[in-house]
């Protein structure tokens, strides 16, 4: 195998491409990552791109979220040369909430002329393999059956960072309202009620910009945001910023396709959480023991248990980290290697 992967500089690129590649490289796989592919192309003022040639030396390529029509031509050119083409997906971009900041960018007919999710669907249709992070994503993007569901994991090194919970336990969330419209709303006033009723520290802590959070959750204390955090500092910031987490998600098509990553990240830092009942959250909660919300008042009920009984909190903090200890890239890199090899074999069979 000689593999090249395109990867962005954000969390998706890190978890879905760069970390599996790093561990696979340690296993002896020849694999490289970059942000683009070297092509001979003509770009027109209206955003169209004509691909004349692709300069590529390898037998497998992984394309993260290819949203340009030009990627269809790249895939076909490479496949004609026997190169296996994989599309990597981590979100259902066909069902973005209209209030999500990405909607106007990726919705057909509303965003940049050259980029939308219809091109992504076409790339998935012709790809040799689709790799995605949840079962629901496979249903959306790989109805042809050529897929692997490879869930998000964490790095072994991130499991061993010490966690020192505050004397007065802090409640928090990671995200921004701009990219999570409707998610905080599912908790109604029960987060605020849990803080005012049972917490000593009644502030609410956010790894993110914190905008609109106070209004959405009706927080009586302060919202304490970190601001934007670079990926390389994210886990450490999460570890230090709060002690109990929430993972509220509106149960719509977009969120039902989301991975278990938020709950996993918190658990890896010994942060017990209360989570909404998406399929992937439920799947991980069966491992972590984190409570899954059925009714909105459950947010308050489950948070109360953690706030009022420190021994229970400490027990849960240790338990969630222990439960996710096996869920590392180091333990699961074989899944990625198998997928890359499968794509190579599929391409050989389809020639």
């Amino acid at each position: 195998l000689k593999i090249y992967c395109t990867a962005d500089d954000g969390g998706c690129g890190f978890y879905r491409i760069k970390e599996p590649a790093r561990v696979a490289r340690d296993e002896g796989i020849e694999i490289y990552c970059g942000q683009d592919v070297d092509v001979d192309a003509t770009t027109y003022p209206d955003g169209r791109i004509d691909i004349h040639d692709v300069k590529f030396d390898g037998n497998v390529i992984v394309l993260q979220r290819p949203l340009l029509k030009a990627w269809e031509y790249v895939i076909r050119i490479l496949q004609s040369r026997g190169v296996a083409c994989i599309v990597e997906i981590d979100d259902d971009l066909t069902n973005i909430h209209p209030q999500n900041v990405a909607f106007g960018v990726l919705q057909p007919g509303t965003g940049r002329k050259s980029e939308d999710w219809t091109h992504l669907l076409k790339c998935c249709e012709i790809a040799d393999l689709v790799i995605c992070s949840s079962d629901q994503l496979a249903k959306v993007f790989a109805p042809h059956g050529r897929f692997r569901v490879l869930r998000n994991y964490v790095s072994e090194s991130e499991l061993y960072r010490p966690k020192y919970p505050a004397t007065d336990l802090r409640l928090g969330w990671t995200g921004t309202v701009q990219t999570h419209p409707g998610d905080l709303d599912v908790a109604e006033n029960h987060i605020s009620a849990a803080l005012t009723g049972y917490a000593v520290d009644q502030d609410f802590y956010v790894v993110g910009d914190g905008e609109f959070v106070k209004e959405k959750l009706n927080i009586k204390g302060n919202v304490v945001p970190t601001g934007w955090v670079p990926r390389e500092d994210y886990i450490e910031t999460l570890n230090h910023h709060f002690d109990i987490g929430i993972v509220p998600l509106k149960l719509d098509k977009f969120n039902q396709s989301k991975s278990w990553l938020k709950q996993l990240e918190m658990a890896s830092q010994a942060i017990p959480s209360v989570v909404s009942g998406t399929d992937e959250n439920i799947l991980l909660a069966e491992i972590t023991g984190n409570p899954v919300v059925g009714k909105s008042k459950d947010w308050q009920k489950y948070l109360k248990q953690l706030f009022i009984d420190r021994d229970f909190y400490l027990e849960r903090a240790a338990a969630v980290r222990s439960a996710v200890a096996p869920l590392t890239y180091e333990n699961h890199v074989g899944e990625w290697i198998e997928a890359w090899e499968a794509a190579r074999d599929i391409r050989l069979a389809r020639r």
Side-chain angles (χ1 to χ4, degrees):
L1 287 175
K2 185 176 181 180
I3 306 163
Y4 178 78
C5 310
T6 65
D8 62 31
D9 285 331
C12 286
F14 176 81
Y15 282 110
R16 302 301 303 165
I17 302 289
K18 294 178 182 178
E19 274 301 273
R22 176 188 65 80
V23 180
R25 202 173 295 119
D26 291 342
E27 295 292 318
I29 300 296
E30 187 176 3
I31 184 167
Y32 307 90
C33 297
Q35 289 193 328
D36 218 330
V37 175
D38 189 7
V39 299
D40 288 332
T42 302
T43 302
Y44 299 95
D46 63 0
R48 289 180 300 114
I49 303 175
D50 281 347
I51 304 296
H52 309 301
D53 190 24
V54 183
K55 300 173 183 178
F56 183 78
D57 177 24
N59 55 6
V60 177
I61 190 167
V62 182
L63 303 175
Q64 182 195 6
R65 205 174 48 240
L67 289 159
L68 293 169
K69 185 173 180 60
W71 286 116
E72 299 175 32
Y73 303 114
V74 169
I75 290 173
R76 292 190 188 280
I77 290 170
L78 290 177
Q79 286 177 328
S80 72
R81 300 176 185 170
V83 176
C85 296
I86 300 172
V87 173
E88 158 61 42
I89 301 289
D90 193 41
D91 280 308
D92 182 1
L93 301 182
T94 71
N95 280 298
I96 300 174
H97 193 291
Q99 293 177 1
N100 189 309
V101 292
F103 181 85
V105 176
L106 300 179
Q107 191 71 8
T110 63
R112 289 172 285 185
K113 295 178 182 178
S114 58
E115 191 172 56
D116 69 53
W117 56 256
T118 60
H119 304 315
L120 174 61
L121 282 177
K122 185 62 178 179
C123 288
C124 289
E125 178 186 327
I126 64 177
D128 296 294
L129 194 73
V130 174
I131 294 178
C132 49
S133 57
S134 72
D135 293 332
Q136 188 59 37
L137 284 174
K139 295 176 183 177
V140 174
F141 291 101
H144 47 56
R146 300 186 306 276
F147 67 88
R148 292 293 188 275
V149 176
L150 305 181
R151 290 181 166 83
N152 288 313
Y153 298 108
V154 292
S155 306
E156 281 186 354
S157 60
E158 294 182 340
L159 286 168
Y160 302 110
R161 183 176 285 108
K163 172 65 175 173
Y164 303 107
T167 301
D168 299 329
L169 296 174
R170 301 159 300 175
L171 179 64
W173 173 69
T174 68
T176 66
V177 171
Q178 296 92 318
T179 56
H180 289 268
D183 286 353
L184 293 180
D185 303 70
V186 303
E188 299 179 355
N189 290 321
H190 294 287
I191 303 300
S192 176
L195 284 170
T196 57
Y198 312 111
V200 176
D201 184 343
Q202 297 185 10
D203 292 340
F204 186 76
Y205 295 78
V206 178
V207 179
D209 62 24
E211 292 185 18
F212 313 113
V213 172
K214 188 177 182 71
E215 296 80 6
K216 288 284 185 181
L217 293 178
N218 194 27
I219 300 298
K220 306 303 181 185
N222 298 312
V223 170
V224 185
T226 61
W228 182 82
V229 177
R231 164 52 233 175
E232 60 268 22
D233 299 328
Y234 173 77
I235 290 293
E236 183 176 6
T237 302
L238 171 63
N239 178 292
H240 293 318
H241 201 54
F242 58 82
D243 309 301
I244 302 169
I246 59 169
V247 187
L249 293 169
K250 182 180 179 182
L251 299 184
D252 56 19
K253 289 183 178 179
F254 180 81
N255 283 336
Q256 279 291 8
S257 294
K258 287 191 74 67
S259 78
W260 62 22
L261 182 59
K262 294 298 183 185
Q263 183 185 174
L264 175 64
E265 289 172 331
M266 292 181 191
S268 76
Q269 300 309 298
I271 298 173
S273 59
V274 181
V275 305
S276 286
T278 61
D279 292 345
E280 295 295 312
N281 266 347
I282 291 171
L283 186 63
L284 184 56
E286 291 174 352
I287 298 171
T288 62
N290 280 326
V292 177
V293 168
K295 300 177 181 178
S296 60
K297 64 182 180 181
D298 288 344
W299 294 100
Q300 184 176 347
K301 178 178 73 173
Y302 293 133
L303 290 171
K304 175 184 177 180
Q305 295 174 326
L306 292 164
F307 277 129
I308 67 173
D309 187 340
R310 191 173 182 87
D311 288 340
F312 175 73
Y313 160 78
L314 292 172
E315 176 185 309
R316 291 296 307 136
V320 295
R321 174 174 271 182
S322 176
V324 301
L327 301 180
T328 65
Y329 289 103
E330 287 79 359
N331 284 341
H332 290 269
V333 67
E335 297 172 9
W336 267 268
I337 295 172
E338 185 281 330
W340 301 328
E341 291 175 340
R344 177 199 59 193
D345 295 343
I346 290 169
R347 171 81 334 238
L348 290 172
R350 295 177 77 196
R351 291 190 71 178

